[in-house]
Amino acid sequence: MSAPVSAPVAVTVQSRPAPVHTVAVYAFDGMAPFELGVVVEVFGLARPELADLLTAPWYDVKVCAERPDAPLNAVGGFQVTTRHGLDDLAAADTVMVVGVPDPFGGRVSPGLVAALRTAHERGARIVSICSGAFALAAAGLLDGLTATTHWRYAGLLQQRHPAVRVNPDVLYVDNGPVLTSAGSAAGIDLCLHLVRLDHGARVANAVARRFVVPPHRDGGQAQFIEAAVRPVEEEDDGIGRSMRWALDHLAEPITVPLLAGVARMSDRSYLRHFTARNGTSPMRWVVSQRIAASLPLLEAPDGTVEEIAAAVGFESAATFRHHFGRGMRTSPTAYRRAFGRTAA
């Protein structure tokens, strides 16, 4: 007599959740808190407003020190204590060094150097802000690469590490697994660039809006002699009104007389007030907003460069490519290749 045949058993296979990307940032005694705060703000702040945009979990941030639980003095008279050490730093997916205690002194912590080398050998992304480039250089991670740091330290970094090609004129340099930025506020630009790499332009733009900074700034460190471009404020003044109008009409022809008319000002007065307020000319600001608007379109699988150029208000694809290259240091096609999403 044959054995009864069992009914098939339904098995539910659950997909494995995407791993959380860990960002570790180095803290040290005597640090200036701004750069550390930038990293924690960008990557560590809960962002429920991004839930519909994210396809992967947000970051997990660990502030790491050479001696966990030992108070670290920060500029301004307060202290920071963290429970994470250099082992956590070396094990992170992205390692960020936001400075070194004394760039002019020449000594970088051997423990930090060892942790950076370990992380790099594991395939982690290594990032510096401001004088943190000295730690990456001391670990040998910048040899043969182009790098940047605060303009004040650029000559010293080049002198001390001749195998590094120091470029003092840019906001940040992306060498793939190793990235460096200029001083202080340029760290915001680099952090937003990392978010753009990981989650796309729409998410990076949303973070920039909450951070109240432009999603992308063109130019180099020299622009900081003047005021950097500021986001549109909510006050109902003429300049702010014209900027909000421009953002709603980017695909249309925009001229200074048209903006001045919206602001109810003469052309000459509008140019003077706009530049004093924003640190750049009205049309250069419009170009930067059109470039920013083009990024999510380039990431989408449909639409030619010519169509995208027209959609954001450039008179031709050639003009779009020219301004995009100047602002983004790459071409629209290369950007799409790097960040574009394929059709399902």
Side-chain angles (χ1 to χ4, degrees):
M1 185 174 182
S2 60
V5 178
S6 300
V9 177
V11 177
T12 302
V13 179
Q14 295 182 342
S15 59
R16 183 176 299 176
V20 176
H21 188 111
T22 302
V23 176
V25 55
Y26 178 68
F28 54 90
D29 197 62
M31 64 185 167
F34 178 82
E35 291 85 353
L36 176 67
V38 165
V39 173
V40 174
E41 174 89 3
V42 172
F43 300 107
L45 192 65
R47 300 188 183 276
E49 74 276 12
L50 300 181
D52 294 337
L53 299 178
L54 293 175
T55 57
W58 198 240
Y59 305 91
D60 176 35
V61 173
K62 295 181 178 179
V63 179
C64 303
E66 306 239 358
R67 293 190 300 149
D69 299 318
L72 301 172
N73 296 306
V75 174
F78 64 96
Q79 293 182 323
V80 174
T81 304
T82 178
R83 63 181 181 273
H84 301 293
L86 293 184
D87 287 345
D88 295 296
L89 189 85
D93 299 302
T94 293
V95 176
M96 305 197 67
V97 184
V98 298
V100 294
D102 182 12
F104 297 103
R107 182 182 181 277
V108 176
S109 161
L112 174 59
V113 168
L116 290 174
R117 288 173 176 165
T118 299
H120 183 66
E121 289 168 2
R122 284 182 40 253
R125 182 167 59 188
I126 313 296
V127 182
S128 70
I129 297 175
C130 197
S131 65
F134 285 85
L136 274 60
L141 306 187
L142 299 180
D143 288 355
L145 300 179
T146 299
T148 193
T149 184
H150 193 289
W151 57 264
R152 182 186 179 200
Y153 306 132
L156 180 62
L157 181 64
Q158 186 66 82
Q159 178 185 0
R160 190 172 295 161
H161 300 280
V164 182
R165 296 187 295 271
V166 179
N167 184 349
D169 299 323
V170 295
L171 297 177
Y172 59 84
V173 177
D174 182 345
N175 287 299
V178 181
L179 304 92
T180 55
S181 83
S184 299
I188 302 175
D189 297 277
L190 181 51
C191 287
L192 291 174
H193 175 66
L194 296 177
V195 173
R196 191 178 298 114
L197 289 173
D198 297 338
H199 296 283
R202 290 182 66 194
V203 173
N205 291 352
V207 175
R209 282 195 297 272
R210 182 160 175 180
F211 218 90
V212 199
V213 296
H216 176 82
R217 292 186 293 170
D218 58 355
Q221 296 192 60
Q223 70 178 301
F224 296 116
I225 298 172
E226 302 174 354
V229 177
R230 298 189 304 179
V232 180
E233 298 174 356
E234 291 299 324
E235 289 86 358
D236 190 25
D237 63 292
I239 300 297
R241 185 167 59 249
S242 71
M243 294 170 74
R244 290 191 295 274
W245 181 90
L247 292 176
D248 290 335
H249 298 81
L250 284 178
E252 304 171 17
I254 297 176
T255 63
V256 170
L258 188 56
L259 292 172
V262 174
R264 302 189 186 98
M265 301 169 69
S266 69
D267 294 2
R268 185 173 179 179
S269 178
Y270 181 79
L271 279 169
R272 184 174 70 254
H273 286 286
F274 189 102
T275 303
R277 171 168 165 169
N278 296 293
T280 190
S281 69
M283 296 316 298
R284 186 171 181 180
W285 178 82
V286 169
V287 166
S288 71
Q289 301 309 307
R290 284 172 167 161
I291 290 172
S294 75
L295 299 182
L297 300 180
L298 288 169
E299 292 184 13
D302 50 356
T304 65
V305 170
E306 289 74 15
E307 291 169 339
I308 293 171
V312 297
F314 287 104
E315 60 186 19
S316 69
T319 303
F320 175 43
R321 291 187 179 96
H322 169 74
H323 288 295
F324 194 96
R326 288 188 61 183
M328 297 294 292
R329 308 296 175 93
T330 188
S331 68
T333 301
Y335 181 90
R336 166 169 271 176
R337 223 171 14 242
F339 303 111
R341 303 186 301 273
T342 58

